[in-house]
Amino acid sequence: EKLWVFTTRADTIMGVTFCAVAAEHPLATYAARNNPALAVFIDECKRGSVMEADIATMEKKGMPTGLSVTHPFTGEPVPVWVGNYVLMGYGEGAVMAVPAHDERDFHFARKYRLPIRQVIGIPDEPFSTDAWQEWYADKERGGCVNSGKYDGLGYAAAIDAIAADLKAKGLGDKQVTWRLRDWGISRQRYWGCPIPIIHCATCGDVPVPDKDLPVVLPEDCVPDGSGNPLNKRADFVNCACPKCGAAARRETDTMDTFVDSSWYYARFASQRRADVMLDREADYWMPVDQYIGGIEHAILHLLYSRFWSKVMRDVQLVSYDEPFTRLLTQGMVLNEIFFRKPESGRVTYYNPADIELTFDDKGQRGGAVLKSDGQPVESGGIGTMSKSKNNGIDPQALIEQYGADTARLFTMFAAPPEMTLEWSDASVEGAFRFLKRLWNFSYENRVFIEKGSMPIHVDWADVSAEHKDARRDLHSALRQANHDFDKRQFNTVVSAAMKMLNVLERTPTATKVEGHRKIQPVYQALVTEGLGILLRLLSPITPHLCHHLWRELDFGDDILIAPWPQVDEAALERDTIEMVVQVNGKLRGRIAVPAMASDAQIRDLAHADEGVQKHTAGKSVKKVIIVPGKLVNIVLL
C-alpha cells in the first residue's frame, strides 16, 4: 500500500529522513496490534488536545512503528513513527519529516537521534545540526542542494519539477487543500442581525420574503439575564407563514457579529446609496489597500471577510475577489499591572496613572502606593494593556499634555509595528523633546530658508568636506528611511529623522570674514534642503507639526501635495572610503583610500598602516584579500 502525505514543501523531498503519522492513522493501528507499548502511546496521544495552538506549544513525542515506507525517488527505506503533533484531520494524517528545514521536525529528530539531511542552501550561510536557525526554513532565498537533478532550483521551480516527476510515476500531484469548517452563525442573544426565517408547523423553515426584509428588531427590549428577551415578545415572535398563511413563529436567534463586521468596508465605499446594500461605487474604491489589525483578527475576521467578499462576488454585488491587498498584524501594547489582593474577595486592579512609585536613597525602586490613600499595592509585572487589568493609558490625557503628534511619534518609535510595545512615560517625554528641538531649530533658521523651497545654487563638488559629509549623511538617512517606509519599519524611519536633525544641528553655519562671522551660502542651501526633506519624511508620523512648519517656513501651502523627497545619488559619492584592515582575520587597522583606488594602491596603503606593520614585520605574506569598499585581509604564511 501507499502512505499518502500532504506537504507545502515538496522542494525538500530529498531531505526526508522519516515519516510521522497521527495516532488515529490506520498504519498506527496496524503497527500497534502486536506492540503493547505503542498501543499505550497511541491511546495517550488520542486523549491529548487536537487544537493547533496547543500542539504548537506542547512537547513533541513519538514512537517508532517498526514499519518503513519507500522514498519515491531514491528507493531508500524511510522509517515510520507515530507523532503526537500530527493531526488526522490535516491532509492525510501523515507528514514527510524533513528535520533540516522544519523546526518541529528538527527538534523531534534531535530528541530521537534521527538523521538530519540538508537539501536547501543559501550562499554564505553555514548549515549545522547543532541548533535551529531561521533561514533553514526560508523558501524565498533558499535553493535546492544535495538533491540530485533538482540542485540549484528555487522553491517554485523545484515544486513544479518534483510534482511533474511524481505525477509521471503515478505517485503524487499538486492539490489545493481546504481547511474550512462549517460556520455556525446563530447566537442566542437579542441585539444582532435577525435571521430571516419563519418556522411553520406545516411548511417547515420558510425564508422571510424579500418584500418583508429587513426584519427589524424591537428597540424596547430589556435584557435581564434570563435569556433572549425576543422569546418573550409575542409581537415579534408570532407571525403568519409566508407560504400557507397559518400561524407561525419567527426565528429569535440573531447572527454572529462577524456577519455584521465582515463587509462594512465595502459599505463605507457605497455611502451615496441608501436603497441598496452595495452599489458599483464599491468597485472603484475596493479592495482595501492596507489592512491593519491585531493578531486576534488573523484567523476569524480575515477569514470571514474573505468568505463574505467571495459570496458578494458570486451574487454579483461586487467584482473584486479579495477584500484586502496588504496585511499588517500590529503588536500588543504592554504596561505594568498593579493590584491589591485581599484575604477574601476579588482582586482589585489599579491604573498606573493612579500609582506613585517609591525609591530608596540610592535611587533604586522600592515599592508602589496608591495616590489616593498612600497604601501599598503589588506589581504584577508587565502585561498586555487590557480592561480587566486596568493598565491601559488614556490617549486623551497624553494628547492634552503633549499633543497628538507626540503620541504618534512615541508609538511609531518605540517598536516596529508588528512587535509588542512596552509603555514608558520617560520615552514619551523623549519624543516630546525631539519635536521641541525640531521646532526650535526651524524657528532659529527660518530667516535662512530660501522661499518656495528652492535652495540657492551651490556647486556641491566645491564645498568643504564638513558640508559634503553633512549632505551625504542627510541623503544616506533619506535612502534608508525610504527603504524602511516600504517595509513598514516606522521606528527606523523616526531614527532616520533624528539623525537628520543631528546632522543639521552640528553643521558649521558661518565663516570668519575680516574679523566678523558671516552665514555661509552653503549652510543656507543645506538647511533649506535638509529641513525640506526632514519635514516631508516625518509628515505621515507627525502631520500637525510638519504641516504647520511647512507653511511657516514658506515651503508651500500644503505639505500633503508636496512631492516626496528623492535621494540625490551624487550626494552619496565619496572622495575617500574607510576600509578595515585585518591580519589573518583579526582587526589591525583602518585606512582611508581614494574612492577610485586600484587594488595595488589599496594593498600599498594597507601595508603602510602603522598598526598593520606591527603584526606583519619580518613575516611573509601568503595573499591579500580585498573586499571592495569594505576590508583588506592580509594572510600570512
Side-chain angles (χ1 to χ4, degrees):
E1 297 296 331
K2 294 182 177 68
L3 174 65
W4 295 101
V5 300
F6 173 78
T7 180
T8 61
R9 293 300 306 269
D11 57 318
T12 67
I13 195 169
M14 303 303 286
V16 174
T17 59
F18 68 96
C19 285
V21 298
E24 299 85 356
H25 196 281
L27 205 56
T29 304
Y30 175 81
R33 290 184 308 168
N34 300 313
N35 189 334
L38 181 59
V40 170
F41 176 71
I42 289 174
D43 188 55
E44 176 188 330
C45 292
K46 289 179 178 179
R47 292 198 302 270
S49 173
V50 296
M51 298 291 291
E52 289 189 50
D54 296 334
I55 290 174
T57 57
M58 73 183 184
E59 181 186 0
K60 308 301 184 289
K61 296 179 181 179
M63 184 170 286
T65 62
L67 304 172
S68 65
V69 290
T70 303
H71 193 286
F73 290 141
T74 67
E76 295 178 356
V78 178
V80 178
W81 287 60
V82 177
N84 68 342
Y85 62 90
V86 184
L87 293 173
M88 193 62 204
Y90 178 65
E92 302 286 344
V95 298
M96 63 174 218
V98 186
H101 305 291
D102 180 280
E103 186 174 9
R104 177 192 59 190
D105 296 341
F106 180 88
H107 294 302
F108 189 92
R110 292 255 303 170
K111 179 176 181 179
Y112 294 106
R113 303 191 179 193
L114 295 166
I116 299 175
R117 184 182 304 144
Q118 181 192 9
V119 292
I120 299 295
I122 295 177
D124 301 323
E125 291 282 9
F127 181 88
S128 170
T129 60
D130 293 338
W132 174 259
Q133 298 184 51
E134 290 301 319
W135 75 261
Y136 292 174
D138 190 337
K139 64 185 180 184
E140 301 299 329
R141 297 187 298 149
C144 290
V145 297
N146 305 321
S147 299
K149 64 181 286 190
Y150 308 113
D151 281 355
L153 296 180
Y155 171 69
I159 286 182
D160 287 342
I162 289 167
D165 288 347
L166 288 171
K167 186 174 182 179
K169 290 173 173 282
L171 296 177
D173 200 357
K174 283 187 173 182
Q175 186 176 28
V176 176
T177 65
W178 302 96
R179 302 175 66 188
L180 296 174
R181 291 177 291 182
D182 288 343
W183 178 11
I185 65 166
S186 62
R187 298 293 183 269
Q188 292 72 49
R189 53 170 195 160
Y190 156 47
W191 195 249
C193 292
I195 296 175
I197 294 292
I198 292 171
H199 303 290
C200 174
T202 303
C203 304
D205 300 333
V206 182
V208 173
D210 286 357
K211 65 182 180 62
D212 296 332
L213 293 176
V215 176
V216 179
L217 291 171
E219 297 187 14
D220 55 349
C221 287
V222 181
D224 58 7
S226 61
N228 188 343
L230 289 175
N231 285 322
K232 306 170 186 176
R233 291 291 299 261
D235 57 337
F236 178 79
V237 174
N238 296 331
C239 60
C241 173
K243 273 191 173 182
C244 67
R249 182 178 178 83
R250 190 183 302 279
E251 175 62 58
T252 57
D253 278 7
T254 55
M255 296 186 197
D256 180 359
T257 51
F258 278 113
V259 174
D260 314 14
S261 65
S262 292
W263 61 282
Y264 65 89
Y265 42 84
R267 179 61 202 170
F268 285 166
S270 303
Q271 294 185 60
R272 300 180 190 179
R273 295 289 301 275
D275 58 325
V276 294
M277 175 179 170
L278 297 173
D279 80 356
R280 284 299 174 179
E281 188 178 8
D283 285 339
Y284 172 80
W285 291 105
M286 292 294 292
V288 173
D289 295 295
Q290 178 68 66
Y291 180 105
I292 302 174
I295 190 64
E296 69 276 8
H297 290 188
I299 299 174
L300 298 179
H301 187 254
L302 284 173
L303 185 67
Y304 296 146
S305 296
R306 295 187 66 219
F307 166 80
W308 201 257
S309 290
K310 293 179 188 301
V311 169
M312 295 191 297
R313 177 205 61 194
D314 290 350
V315 298
Q316 299 182 343
L317 280 172
V318 300
S319 62
Y320 56 86
D321 291 325
E322 296 288 351
F324 315 118
T325 302
R326 294 188 301 179
L327 167 68
L328 172 61
T329 300
Q330 67 193 32
M332 307 299 285
V333 184
L334 311 179
N335 203 4
E336 192 163 3
I337 301 168
F338 295 99
F339 66 94
R340 283 179 183 159
K341 187 175 182 181
E343 292 183 5
S344 61
R346 298 178 61 183
V347 174
T348 302
Y349 292 94
Y350 300 97
N351 192 274
D354 300 326
I355 302 299
E356 184 176 337
L357 302 178
T358 59
F359 298 87
D360 61 21
D361 295 339
K362 296 180 180 179
Q364 298 295 317
R365 175 172 160 175
V369 298
L370 188 64
K371 292 178 182 178
S372 61
D373 61 15
Q375 297 302 306
V377 294
E378 295 183 55
S379 171
I382 299 295
T384 303
M385 284 190 182
S386 66
K387 294 177 182 177
S388 62
K389 297 296 188 291
N390 192 18
N391 64 333
I393 294 295
D394 183 0
Q396 189 59 41
L398 182 66
I399 290 168
E400 290 173 359
Q401 183 175 0
Y402 295 107
D405 278 348
T406 295
R408 292 189 181 98
L409 187 73
F410 164 71
T411 53
M412 291 294 98
F413 182 53
E418 71 277 7
M419 303 294 289
T420 55
L421 182 160
E422 186 172 334
W423 191 263
S424 166
D425 290 340
S427 296
V428 174
E429 179 65 37
F432 184 58
R433 285 197 302 270
F434 167 72
L435 293 182
K436 285 201 297 184
R437 279 175 51 210
L438 175 58
W439 181 276
N440 291 337
F441 181 84
S442 300
Y443 180 80
E444 291 164 1
N445 287 273
R446 66 194 185 284
V447 296
F448 306 137
I449 302 297
E450 290 295 312
K451 304 305 180 188
S453 78
M454 293 299 294
I456 59 177
H457 177 71
V458 170
D459 184 357
W460 292 106
D462 197 33
V463 303
S464 70
E466 286 181 298
H467 287 109
K468 276 185 182 178
D469 289 344
R471 189 164 185 262
R472 182 184 305 111
D473 290 344
L474 286 174
H475 283 271
S476 178
L478 174 60
R479 180 171 62 179
Q480 184 62 49
N482 283 343
H483 177 69
D484 293 341
F485 258 127
D486 288 340
K487 295 193 300 179
R488 294 171 297 200
Q489 289 183 316
F490 307 122
N491 58 317
T492 49
V493 171
V494 176
S495 296
M498 292 177 172
K499 289 177 185 176
M500 289 182 180
L501 184 57
N502 291 339
V503 168
L504 293 173
E505 287 178 330
R506 67 170 183 259
T507 301
T509 62
T511 186
K512 283 190 176 182
V513 179
E514 298 177 357
H516 300 284
R517 296 182 67 80
K518 182 179 180 181
I519 293 294
Q520 300 179 64
V522 66
Y523 177 74
Q524 291 182 265
L526 194 65
V527 76
T528 299
E529 182 182 27
L531 274 177
I533 291 172
L534 176 52
L535 292 177
R536 282 176 286 172
L537 187 67
L538 264 183
S539 61
I541 297 172
T542 56
H544 297 157
L545 179 96
C546 293
H547 178 73
H548 186 81
L549 287 177
W550 189 260
R551 281 186 169 181
E552 288 295 307
L553 296 174
D554 206 18
F555 279 119
D557 186 58
D558 189 351
I559 197 170
L560 288 177
I561 61 174
W564 191 255
Q566 300 298 316
V567 175
D568 183 352
E569 296 295 336
L572 301 177
E573 296 177 0
R574 294 176 178 270
D575 296 329
T576 61
I577 300 171
E578 184 181 75
M579 297 182 69
V580 168
V581 184
Q582 299 175 340
V583 178
N584 286 342
K586 294 183 179 179
L587 176 64
R588 299 305 185 192
R590 299 176 187 274
I591 57 173
V593 303
M596 303 303 293
S598 65
D599 285 357
Q601 289 174 301
I602 294 173
R603 279 195 293 269
D604 291 342
L605 288 168
H607 284 299
D609 183 79
E610 184 178 342
V612 173
Q613 288 181 350
K614 290 180 182 179
H615 295 86
T616 59
K619 299 176 182 177
S620 299
V621 175
K622 180 179 179 181
K623 61 180 176 179
V624 178
I625 301 169
I626 298 174
V627 179
K630 293 184 178 180
L631 66 85
V632 181
N633 185 20
I634 300 172
V635 182
L636 303 177
L637 287 172

